[in-house]
């Protein structure tokens, strides 16, 4: 899978932004596919194995909460994914720092940020949710909590990411213009047999970020939001923009107002575009699932796709997008 296509700087400032309808392209589950009767799983990007895992669990009666956790853990363990869990790309100091969150149908949530040396931050986030009076633990506190709860400390760097970091050190160039296809953050939303909805999101964040930087992924409302009455949404891309526009919460609120998941994602992404004329230089993508089992996704730039697992199929769907 090639993920090395960089966006060119467009230098658009202060211009009225034309609204170009997104391009829809066919997959077995087209974007126009409406509702799924049974359990449904959606996930950012093309994480076939993760959504397959969640789909299998849902089929056998697992709760949406267990399915999202187990599903995203597949990617946390995938060393080939350099933006999640083990094998994640480090920050500028060479440390892999992980952000993750989980949200349950009852509205409870747990989150960890700037967590180091733990392969499964989402599992720690779930413990925060279930075993503490808090929502979010960060850094050393999150690590201590994980260790006290039996998680093992391990080196998250490997030969490949160490070598890439060494190479990066030669120039130490941090480009805020980011790769539109190299955000491998997994955000997942599932609806189980009972119609209950849960979500999870996990990442090592932007490659070579500043030490201490936390992105949108562990922030409830930004990288993930669930309202079991309405649906759920997850985001990927430039975390700073997703935080500033509270994209996942926004998408859920738009669905509450009656928008389809696709339209809600589109409007959430358009909000980012409207508020930042520099949108040509970064990617933001949002996916959503509503209570009727309808799914949707939308991105600023071409190149984003998402998984839909439903009715025994596990398909990658090309997302609509604003600008090619
Ligand atoms: N949203 C993530 C972050 O900003 C990055 C990504 O989705 O790839 O940390």
């Amino acid at each position: 899978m090639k993920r090395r296509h960089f966006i060119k700087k467009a230098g658009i400032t202060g211009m009225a932004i034309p609204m170009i309808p997104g391009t829809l392209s066919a997959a077995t589950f087209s974007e126009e596919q409406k509702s799924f009767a049974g359990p449904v799983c959606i996930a950012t990007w093309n994480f076939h194995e993760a959504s397959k895992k969640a789909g299998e669990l849902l089929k056998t009666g697992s709760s949406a909460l267990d399915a999202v956790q187990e599903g995203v853990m597949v990617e946390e363990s995938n060393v080939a994914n350099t933006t999640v869990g083990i094998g994640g790309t480090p920050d500028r100091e060479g440390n892999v720092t992980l952000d993750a969150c989980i949200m349950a149908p009852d509205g409870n949530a747990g989150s960890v940020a700037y967590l180091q040396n733990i392969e499964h931050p989402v599992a720690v986030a779930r413990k925060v949710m279930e075993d503490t009076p808090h929502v979010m633990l960060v850094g050393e506190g999150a690590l201590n909590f994980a260790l006290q709860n039996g998680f093992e400390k391990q080196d998250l760097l490997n030969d490949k990411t160490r070598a890439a970091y060494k190479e990066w050190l030669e120039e130490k160039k941090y480009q805020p213009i980011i790769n539109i296809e190299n955000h491998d953050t997994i955000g997942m939303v599932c609806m189980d047999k009972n119609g209950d909805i849960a979500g999870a999101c996990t990442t090592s964040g932007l490659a070579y970020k500043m030490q201490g930087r936390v992105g949108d992924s562990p922030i409830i409302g930004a990288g993930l939001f669930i309202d079991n009455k309405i649906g759920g949404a997850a985001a990927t891309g430039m975390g700073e923009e997703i935080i500033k526009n509270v994209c996942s919460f926004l998408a859920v609120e738009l669905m509450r107002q009656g928008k389809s998941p696709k339209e809600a994602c589109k409007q959430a992404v358009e909000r980012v575009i409207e508020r930042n004329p520099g949108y040509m230089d970064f990617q933001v993508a949002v996916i959503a699932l509503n209570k009727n089992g309808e799914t949707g996704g939308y991105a600023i730039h071409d190149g984003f796709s998402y998984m839909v697992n439903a009715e025994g199929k596990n398909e990658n769907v090309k997302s609509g997008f604003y600008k090619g």
Side-chain angles (χ1 to χ4, degrees), residues 200-217:
C201 189
T202 178
T203 190
S204 58
L206 298 181
Y208 313 124
K209 60 195 175 185
M210 283 178 70
Q211 187 174 35
R213 184 261 188 191
V214 170
D216 60 301
S217 307

Side-chain angles (χ1 to χ4, degrees), residues 20 180 280 300-302 321-324:
I20 301 164
I180 64 167
M280 283 298 290
I300 299 177
H301 299 282
D302 192 8
F321 61 93
Y322 179 74
K323 197 98 184 92

Side-chain angles (χ1 to χ4, degrees), residues 44-45 83-84 97 99 178-179 181-187 201-207 209 213-218 223 235-243 283-285:
T44 53
W45 304 105
T83 319
V84 181
T97 70
D99 297 340
I178 54 169
N179 184 339
E181 287 178 291
N182 198 23
H183 312 279
D184 295 349
T185 295
I186 182 162
C201 189
T202 178
T203 190
S204 58
L206 298 181
K209 60 195 175 185
R213 184 261 188 191
V214 170
D216 60 301
S217 307
T236 180
M238 183 64 100
E240 284 70 9
E241 299 303 318
I242 297 167
I243 292 170
Q283 174 70 302
V284 165

Side-chain angles (χ1 to χ4, degrees), residues 67-319:
V68 290
Q69 181 184 337
E70 295 281 330
V72 301
M73 278 169 60
V74 170
E75 279 310 309
E76 288 181 337
S77 295
N78 177 7
V79 286
N81 183 331
T82 55
T83 319
V84 181
I86 197 158
T89 302
D91 66 9
R92 294 181 202 182
E93 313 306 315
N95 299 312
V96 179
T97 70
L98 304 177
D99 297 340
C101 73
I102 192 160
M103 198 162 182
D106 66 0
N108 206 2
S111 162
V112 289
Y114 198 73
L115 175 62
Q116 295 181 52
N117 297 108
I118 299 291
E119 182 178 349
H120 290 301
V122 75
V124 184
R126 180 149 177 195
K127 280 238 159 262
V128 173
M129 174 174 84
E130 290 178 344
D131 298 349
T132 81
H134 307 303
V135 167
M136 194 166 191
L137 293 180
V138 305
E140 211 185 320
L143 178 61
N144 288 339
F145 173 76
L147 297 176
Q148 282 155 16
N149 281 280
F151 289 86
E152 274 173 32
K153 212 170 169 176
Q154 56 184 296
D155 187 1
L156 300 179
L157 280 171
N158 56 37
D159 290 350
K160 200 174 133 203
T161 50
R162 224 175 245 115
Y165 174 62
K166 238 173 124 188
E167 206 177 292
W168 178 81
L169 276 179
E170 282 167 23
E171 283 201 35
K172 283 196 175 178
K173 211 159 122 197
Y174 180 74
Q175 285 182 304
I177 306 163
I178 54 169
N179 184 339
I180 64 167
E181 287 178 291
N182 198 23
H183 312 279
D184 295 349
T185 295
I186 182 162
M188 181 181 277
V189 179
C190 287
M191 181 163 70
D192 61 28
K193 279 188 168 164
N194 299 329
D196 288 326
I197 298 176
C201 189
T202 178
T203 190
S204 58
L206 298 181
Y208 313 124
K209 60 195 175 185
M210 283 178 70
Q211 187 174 35
R213 184 261 188 191
V214 170
D216 60 301
S217 307
I219 298 180
I220 299 301
L224 178 77
F225 192 71
I226 303 295
D227 183 325
N228 198 33
K229 275 193 197 148
I230 307 297
T236 180
M238 183 64 100
E240 284 70 9
E241 299 303 318
I242 297 167
I243 292 170
K244 286 187 278 185
N245 293 284
V246 206
C247 288
S248 295
F249 180 73
L250 178 56
V252 172
E253 289 306 294
L254 287 162
M255 291 195 290
R256 191 192 305 279
Q257 291 164 22
K259 305 284 183 296
S260 69
K262 167 75 193 297
E263 187 57 29
C265 293
K266 184 169 181 281
Q267 289 191 18
V269 167
E270 284 172 355
R271 183 74 59 85
V272 175
I273 292 168
E274 282 158 25
R275 284 161 50 93
N276 190 338
Y279 69 90
M280 283 298 290
D281 296 342
F282 57 81
Q283 174 70 302
V284 165
V286 182
I287 60 169
L289 166 70
N290 72 10
K291 206 66 181 164
N292 298 327
E294 296 168 346
T295 63
Y298 199 79
I300 299 177
H301 299 282
D302 192 8
F304 176 66
S305 63
Y306 57 99
M307 296 303 304
V308 178
N309 187 299
E311 296 173 351
K313 288 187 219 139
N314 192 41
E315 304 275 346
N316 190 240
V317 177
K318 186 171 165 27
S319 163

